[in-house]
Each structure stands twice: as structure tokens, then as C-alpha cells.
Amino acid sequence: MIVPADKGRAVVVLNTTDYKDKASELLSDEKTYKKMKSIPTWKYKTKLIKILQSVKQSGAITDIKYRQLYPTCEEVPKFYGLPKVHKPTCPLRPIVACRGSISYDIARFVADIISPLVGQSDYHRQNSKDLVNKLSDLVLDQDEVMVSYDVTALFTCTPVKESLSIIKERLRNDTSLVDRAELSVEQIMNLLEYCLTTTYFQYDGEFYQQLENAAMGSPVSPITANLFMEDFESKALKSYPVPPKFWGRYVDDTIVVIKKDQIDQFTDHINSQHSSIKFTMEREENGQIPVLDVLISRNQEGRLSFSVYRKPTHTEQYLNFTSHHPLQHKLAVIRTLNDRAHTIVSKEEDRQQEINKIRKSLAVCRYQEWTWNTVTRNKSRDDNRIPRRESARPLKTRLDEHARPSSLVGAHASFHDIDWDGVKELDREDNWYKRGVKEAINIRRTKSDLNKDQGRHHLPRTYDHLILSRDSRPSRRGHVTTNSR
């Protein structure tokens, strides 16, 4: 149902009956979902405990890590649909909320291990900024056009068995795996397979099993889908006689530059590569095409320019400044929007127009002038220091990751001269919890702008008088209170 709104906008309201009909239609796909007679939580929990006990007995994880991963929560995952209000029929995007389930913590653990495998393909784009950087120097010929492809329901169409095979091969060839995990490839694969196959959920009083493919909502699903797509696109492009001039993909969204007379043939080609993976396609209109939050425009010479793209359903509503959220969350809204304007928009006049639009929208959301000045002043401050970060991995490994252009520090290093050889460890701690506390203390003491958060542990401000003190003082019990350095 479409309801008129102020300022020429329209608000899409989906009533309960329509929502349930759409959700039931999704769950009626017998190839993907099956109703269950009972809740399998105990069976899956027992299976996970056996796997974890085997891993602990091998010495691959400590007793502390075992207790952290031990499934104490037994919340049944919940299914819901997220309406795609920007599409004509307002279809639902299936989501399975896994937080609090028996597999959530282990999925996060495995995701941290396999996530560095993503992005090793030349076609993978990390974010909008990376996409713009890759396209900036591209010049289109007169017979070339921009086309966008979208994978239909990527997560629920990602084949688990093939993905496991791809990831296993990647892990075997990953020379840095030993730096971030002591588990063997087989142990990692056992845990990953458990996460990808433990896909049951509850909806409207009924219990379902997802028969195949990755569940959208699990921490390992986007990584699995990305790795499968990297393998898919590599094979698809190599097997096409005349590959496109450019192919750049972020998860399920792809921008392609290709000859006009090759569009239909190429679309048929990529749609014939796998029975589960199908693409929808859109061509540029009037020399423009949107991808992610970027509007790409071409001029008569074939050169590209970029601006911020907002879907027609965008309401310009952001976190209200009068809400009871922490101040850093509200300042992060400004920082994110301002950074996007400076990293995506290519023309100065368009950038200024975007900034004016942001400030006007934020003013409606009760943001005052001082908030904008605070964020932009901190952004321009010259700070050459490396952010304080904790890690269980060797220092060299973390420095190599920080030096990547895609990282926050790597991006900052392109504007400043950072002494990488002079970097040293501030402290050492084997205990995961204590290491997080030391990290938070060092971040609070140094106040570096490059640290976008306060670490794993948000220390109360009541400890500031101890943290910021430079001198070690004996306590009343005779102990010495020292700051981590």
C-alpha cells in the first residue's frame, strides 16, 4: 500500500496480511525449506560440543577459548523478511536472526579465520571507495556501455558443498593461516561445515530447516558467498571469448563495462554457468548508472565522474541528535556522511553540493553546528601515529594488514609519512580478556583519531583518573597500579 507523504515522497506500508503472504510464499519453496516436527537444538548442541572437545584435546585451542565457544545460549534462530521497498512488488529479503543461537559464537570464530581469504581476486571490490578508485582512470569507447548485474538471492543460492571445496583449497594454499589460527585445515572445515548446515529457524510458531545453501544472518554466510563468487566469476570470465573491459563486484552487485553488441550474449553466458546463480541486468540510462551508493556518469569523451546515489525511497532521516544514544554514535553519523562525500564525489562543485545537502538533512535531525565542526576539525588534524590495537597475531602480520591501502591506517599513510620500521609493541598479554582491557587503556591514554572505537571493552569514565595518570602509585593494600605502555 502506498501512502502519500510530505515533500513529494511516498511511504510504502506493508500490512500484516501482505507480509505473511510474502513470507509464506518464500517458505513454500520445498527445494530450499522443509518444515520440522521438533526443535533440533539439543542434537546440534551435542554435535558442536563433540567437535569443540576434539579440537581442544588436540591443543588447537586453549581451555579459555573452549569455554568462550562452548554453546551456552540456546535461542532458536528467527526468520523474518526485510521488505525491498525500492522494488515494484516490494519483495521480501529472507533473514535468519542467529544471534544468541548455539552456532552464533562459533560462526564468528570461524569467520575471523577465513575472512582474510576474501578479496584476493582482481574482480572483488571492498567498498564504494575501492570501486571509484578502480574506475577513475577508465575511459569508455563509443561502442561500450555500463551494465549492472545483481545476483538473485545470493545467500540462499550459494551452494554449500561447492563453497566448502573452494574454501578448503584456499586454506591449504594460505601461507599466513598459521599466524591467525592453530587449527588444522580439517578442523576449520569441520567447524565451517557445522555452521553452514545448522540452518534451522522458527517463523510464526512453525520450525523449518533450510535444506541447502547459506543462511542470511550467520556471520560466515557473506564470507562463504564472497569466496564462491570469486571462484564463479573467475571461471565465467575466463571462459568467455571476449571478456568485458571491466568487471567489479561487491557481494552480489556487479558493474560491467562491455561492448554494446555483447550484452545479451554475455548475460546468457554468465546465467548458464551454474544452476543456482542467476543474474538480473540493468543498462545505463542517459549515460548514468547507480551501483551501491555511487552514481556513475559518463561524458561525451567516455570519462567517468562519480556522485552519491540515494534510492528513491531514501527519507534523509538519520539518528536524531536528541535521542539517548551515545554521543560518539551521533558524531559517527556525521563522520560517515562527510567521509563518503570526500571519497566518492569526484567534482568539487558536486562535493560541496553534497556537503550542503548533508548539513541540511542533519539540521532537521537536530544536529547543531558544533557537532559538524568537531568532526571536520578532527578529520583535518595531522596525526601520524599508528592506532593502538590488540591482536593475538605476530606484530609483522598486523603491520602488513595495516599497510594495505584498504585499511584505515593504509589510507591515512597515503597522506602522511608513517615510520613503519619504528612501530613497536606496547604490551604483551596471552589472556584474551586482559589483552582487551590493556588495549582499551592504551586507546584511552593516547586519544588517537585513528582509533574509531574504544576497543573490545568500553571502560567507564570513572577510571580516567587512573588511566591518565602517568605515575605508578601504591594502593592501600600495598599493590602497585601501573599503566600499560
Side-chain angles (χ1 to χ4, degrees):
M1 180 171 62
I2 308 297
V3 180
D6 295 336
K7 299 181 180 179
R9 297 193 185 98
V11 178
V12 180
V13 178
L14 190 64
N15 61 46
T16 303
T17 302
D18 290 342
Y19 174 83
K20 288 188 174 182
D21 288 344
K22 292 177 183 291
S24 298
E25 183 180 357
L26 282 174
L27 297 175
S28 64
D29 181 3
E30 296 181 353
K31 294 182 179 180
T32 307
Y33 305 105
K34 179 183 73 173
K35 277 191 177 183
M36 307 181 71
K37 296 181 179 179
S38 60
I39 308 175
T41 302
W42 180 251
K43 179 182 72 173
Y44 287 134
K45 181 176 181 178
T46 302
K47 181 179 179 180
L48 176 57
I49 292 173
K50 289 182 179 180
I51 297 175
L52 288 174
Q53 286 176 342
S54 175
V55 174
K56 187 185 73 167
Q57 289 171 2
S58 72
I61 59 173
T62 64
D63 186 62
I64 294 176
K65 176 57 70 174
Y66 172 79
R67 291 198 297 268
Q68 292 171 350
L69 297 176
Y70 188 93
T72 56
C73 298
E74 299 182 3
E75 186 75 19
V76 178
K78 303 295 190 301
F79 172 92
Y80 66 94
L82 186 64
K84 299 181 182 180
V85 297
H86 58 286
K87 295 194 174 181
T89 60
C90 198
L92 297 183
R93 176 183 286 110
I95 309 289
V96 178
C98 300
R99 186 178 291 274
S101 68
I102 56 174
S103 62
Y104 185 77
D105 287 339
I106 195 66
R108 290 181 58 191
F109 174 69
V110 175
D112 288 341
I113 295 176
I114 66 173
S115 60
L117 301 177
V118 177
Q120 298 179 15
S121 165
D122 292 335
Y123 309 113
H124 172 81
R125 301 278 71 85
Q126 296 180 350
N127 47 41
S128 299
K129 179 183 177 181
D130 184 30
L131 176 64
V132 169
N133 289 340
K134 292 294 183 182
L135 286 170
S136 294
D137 297 329
L138 198 66
V139 179
L140 277 63
D141 296 331
Q142 291 295 325
D143 61 344
E144 293 176 329
V145 293
M146 295 181 291
V147 177
S148 67
Y149 289 103
D150 180 39
V151 182
T152 303
L154 174 59
F155 284 24
T156 54
C157 290
T158 302
V160 171
K161 289 183 179 180
E162 292 180 49
S163 299
L164 289 173
S165 178
I166 293 168
I167 295 172
K168 186 175 184 178
E169 187 65 22
R170 289 282 193 94
L171 287 171
R172 285 176 172 171
N173 296 326
D174 184 12
T175 57
S176 65
L177 177 61
V178 66
D179 294 332
R180 61 179 185 274
E182 296 184 11
L183 284 76
S184 67
V185 172
E186 293 299 328
Q187 290 172 328
I188 297 171
M189 294 308 302
N190 286 339
L191 291 171
L192 177 59
E193 183 175 7
Y194 172 86
C195 296
L196 293 176
T197 56
T198 309
T199 51
Y200 72 104
F201 56 84
Q202 180 181 9
Y203 171 74
D204 199 21
E206 301 280 355
F207 298 95
Y208 295 82
Q209 176 79 46
Q210 184 173 322
L211 300 177
E212 295 181 356
N213 311 325
M216 191 169 186
S218 172
V220 297
S221 292
I223 301 171
T224 302
N226 255 317
L227 291 172
F228 173 80
M229 285 303 299
E230 287 185 12
D231 182 78
F232 171 91
E233 64 196 1
S234 177
K235 293 177 179 178
L237 294 174
K238 286 180 180 179
S239 60
Y240 191 69
V242 187
K245 175 183 282 187
F246 180 86
W247 170 290
R249 178 189 53 82
Y250 177 81
V251 190
D252 59 351
D253 292 317
T254 305
I255 178 69
V256 175
V257 175
I258 192 171
K259 301 287 185 181
K260 294 178 183 178
D261 58 3
Q262 290 288 318
I263 295 177
D264 293 336
Q265 183 179 346
F266 180 72
T267 303
D268 292 340
H269 172 74
I270 60 175
N271 276 328
S272 66
Q273 296 302 298
H274 198 284
S275 58
S276 298
I277 304 299
K278 301 300 175 185
F279 293 84
T280 59
M281 183 265 293
E282 293 183 8
R283 307 185 187 208
E284 66 174 73
E285 293 185 6
N286 300 320
Q288 294 184 325
I289 190 168
V291 182
L292 304 179
D293 56 351
V294 182
L295 181 63
I296 308 173
S297 306
R298 61 184 296 179
N299 60 20
Q300 294 181 350
E301 289 76 30
R303 296 191 177 276
L304 303 179
S305 60
F306 312 94
S307 57
V308 174
Y309 172 73
R310 294 174 175 84
K311 293 179 179 178
T313 52
H314 185 73
T315 62
E316 299 295 341
Q317 294 298 307
Y318 302 103
L319 178 64
N320 197 289
F321 194 78
T322 60
S323 68
H324 293 287
H325 288 75
L327 176 61
Q328 58 263 35
H329 291 183
K330 301 167 186 175
L331 296 181
V333 173
I334 304 175
R335 185 178 300 109
T336 300
L337 297 175
N338 184 52
D339 287 349
R340 183 173 68 171
H342 283 85
T343 57
I344 291 180
V345 184
S346 53
K347 296 181 179 179
E348 181 59 36
E349 59 270 24
D350 293 339
R351 185 180 300 114
Q352 190 57 52
Q353 183 178 357
E354 172 66 17
I355 291 175
N356 292 338
K357 183 180 182 65
I358 294 171
R359 300 186 70 168
K360 183 178 179 180
S361 299
L362 291 177
V364 175
C365 297
R366 307 293 183 86
Y367 285 76
Q368 301 177 31
E369 187 71 17
W370 68 266
T371 60
W372 178 270
N373 294 336
T374 298
V375 171
T376 54
R377 181 174 61 249
N378 290 340
K379 179 179 175 59
S380 61
R381 183 183 300 164
D382 184 8
D383 186 355
N384 294 338
R385 294 174 294 180
I386 297 291
R388 273 62 181 173
R389 277 287 177 239
E390 65 87 16
S391 176
R393 286 168 280 168
L395 177 62
K396 183 180 183 304
T397 301
R398 292 298 288 137
L399 281 180
D400 289 343
E401 293 172 350
H402 281 312
R404 295 173 183 169
S406 58
S407 74
L408 177 66
V409 183
H412 191 74
S414 63
F415 298 99
H416 303 287
D417 184 17
I418 292 181
D419 181 15
W420 295 104
D421 295 332
V423 176
K424 62 181 180 179
E425 293 178 345
L426 292 177
D427 209 332
R428 299 183 67 89
E429 175 59 59
D430 293 332
N431 183 280
W432 179 85
Y433 182 86
K434 292 180 180 179
R435 190 167 66 244
V437 173
K438 289 185 176 182
E439 172 202 25
I441 290 174
N442 278 287
I443 290 175
R444 185 73 59 81
R445 289 188 64 233
T446 55
K447 300 180 181 179
S448 171
D449 291 340
L450 287 179
N451 288 105
K452 296 301 184 183
D453 55 45
Q454 294 299 307
R456 273 193 278 113
H457 301 293
H458 295 270
L459 301 179
R461 288 293 175 181
T462 186
Y463 293 113
D464 279 1
H465 70 288
L466 293 175
I467 294 173
L468 301 179
S469 174
R470 296 189 177 184
D471 299 325
S472 301
R473 297 188 180 92
S475 66
R476 293 180 179 179
R477 296 183 180 182
H479 298 294
V480 176
T481 304
T482 60
N483 293 322
S484 299
R485 295 186 182 276

